[in-house]
Amino acid sequence: MRAVLKIGGSLIQDEKGDIRVERFAEYAKVILKLREENTEITSIVVGGGKTARKYIEAARRLGVAEGLCDEIGIRAAQLNAQIMVGALDREAYPTIPETLQEVAEAAATGKIVVVGGLQPGQSTNAVAALVAERIKADMLINATNVDGVYTKDPKKDPSAEKLDQVTVREIQEIINEKGFFAGKYELFDMVALKILERSKIPTWIINGEDPKNILRIVAGENVGTLIVY
Ligand code: UTP
C-alpha cells in the first residue's frame, strides 16, 4: 500500500505564523510507524500556511502580479517542507523537488519525498493530487483542520453537516466558484479536482489536528470524508 499524505499549512503553523514544532515531530512519528507496518507514506506534501498568506498579502499590497504571489506561496510551502525533511531525518529525501519529474526521481530512491508547491495557479492540494497520480499511489490522505467535507463552511455556518462520502461534482457545487486567488484556495482547487476525477485516486479528507487519525484511516476506520467516483 502506497499513500501520499497532504499536511495542511494550518496544522503545522499557528495563526501568528509560529511553527508548531511538536506537530512536525508527531507527524514524523506516525509516518515512520506506518513505514514499519504495511503502508508506506511515499510522499508528503506540505502547505504554505500563515507564512504563505503573510508574504502574499505583503506582495499584493505592492500590486505585484497574482502569478508572483503564487510563486511566493510556493516558496513558503517549500520552506515548511524543509522542516518536515528535518523531522524525518535520514528517512527523507534531502532536497525538495520542484517538478513532478523530480518527484518521481526522488521517489525511485525509496526515501520519503517531501514536496511544497510546484507551479502557479493551484494549491498544494493540487500538488498532492498530481504527486499521487504521478507515483501511482493507492491512496491520498488530505489532513486539514476540519473533520471532513461539510455541506457548507463549518467555521461560518453551524447548520453545516459533515459528509461521509462525496463526489467531485458535489465538492464543486460546495465551492461554487468562490474565486481562485493566491493564498485563498478553499478546500480544493480546480486543478486538484480535475486530477482526482481523471485518476480516481481514493482520497480521504481527515482532521489532522490528531495525527493518529492517519493510523485510523489506514486501519479502515471512517474518521473523515471519502471522495468517491
Ligand atoms: P496552499 O494554499 O496550498 O497552502 O499554498 P495553505 O494556505 O497552507 O493551505 P492548506 O491549509 O495547506 O490547504 C499557499 C499558496 O501557494 C501558492 C498558492 O497561491 C497557494 O494559495 N501555490 C502553492 C501555488 O501557486 N502553486 C502550488 O503548487 C502550491
Side-chain angles (χ1 to χ4, degrees):
M1 179 80 135
R2 285 151 60 92
V4 169
L5 172 67
K6 156 78 202 301
I7 305 175
S10 61
L11 297 172
I12 44 153
Q13 284 190 331
D14 65 17
E15 256 318 295
K16 285 197 327 227
D18 289 343
I19 311 291
R20 298 169 79 177
V21 180
E22 280 307 311
R23 184 49 64 71
F24 274 96
E26 281 167 27
Y27 268 105
K29 212 169 147 191
V30 164
I31 291 156
L32 296 179
K33 181 173 159 48
L34 275 174
R35 241 185 166 210
E36 287 165 14
E37 295 165 12
N38 261 344
T39 304
E40 211 182 306
I41 304 277
T42 322
S43 179
I44 305 168
V45 179
V46 186
K50 183 72 183 176
T51 302
R53 282 189 296 279
K54 243 194 225 174
Y55 277 77
I56 287 169
E57 194 54 45
R60 199 176 271 132
R61 279 170 55 194
L62 290 170
V64 308
E66 274 301 305
L68 178 54
C69 290
D70 274 342
E71 283 175 33
I72 291 166
I74 290 168
R75 296 278 170 242
Q78 289 170 344
L79 206 53
N80 285 332
Q82 270 179 318
I83 303 180
M84 195 68 227
V85 166
L88 292 166
D89 201 16
R90 286 183 204 169
E91 299 304 319
Y93 188 77
T95 54
I96 311 296
E98 298 196 9
T99 64
L100 277 180
Q101 197 181 355
E102 285 175 10
V103 170
E105 283 164 8
T109 65
K111 295 277 182 195
I112 302 170
V113 185
V114 191
V115 192
L118 291 179
Q119 67 254 339
Q122 62 183 36
S123 71
T124 46
N125 284 330
V127 173
L130 286 161
V131 168
E133 180 182 70
R134 184 67 176 79
I135 66 175
K136 291 193 167 168
D138 302 299
M139 183 193 221
L140 170 59
I141 303 170
N142 197 306
T144 67
N145 59 4
V146 288
D147 289 333
V149 178
Y150 284 74
T151 48
K152 296 167 193 154
D153 186 343
K155 298 224 159 74
K156 291 178 192 146
D157 193 335
S159 72
E161 280 171 42
K162 194 199 129 210
L163 304 164
D164 286 340
Q165 293 197 338
V166 72
T167 63
V168 168
R169 183 178 288 254
E170 281 166 339
I171 295 179
Q172 265 164 341
E173 280 163 15
I174 295 164
I175 301 169
N176 219 358
E177 286 308 316
K178 287 184 180 169
F180 294 102
F181 298 100
K184 286 187 181 156
Y185 297 102
E186 303 268 349
L187 189 63
F188 277 95
D189 60 290
M190 286 305 170
V191 180
L193 293 177
K194 286 215 164 81
I195 299 298
L196 292 181
E197 193 157 49
R198 78 174 184 189
S199 286
K200 305 197 174 7
I201 304 153
T203 299
W204 283 96
I205 294 116
I206 62 160
N207 194 333
E209 291 290 355
D210 181 0
K212 290 209 177 74
N213 276 338
I214 296 162
L215 300 174
R216 295 186 183 110
I217 282 293
V218 170
E221 279 181 57
N222 181 354
V223 289
T225 300
L226 177 65
I227 301 181
V228 289
Y229 303 97

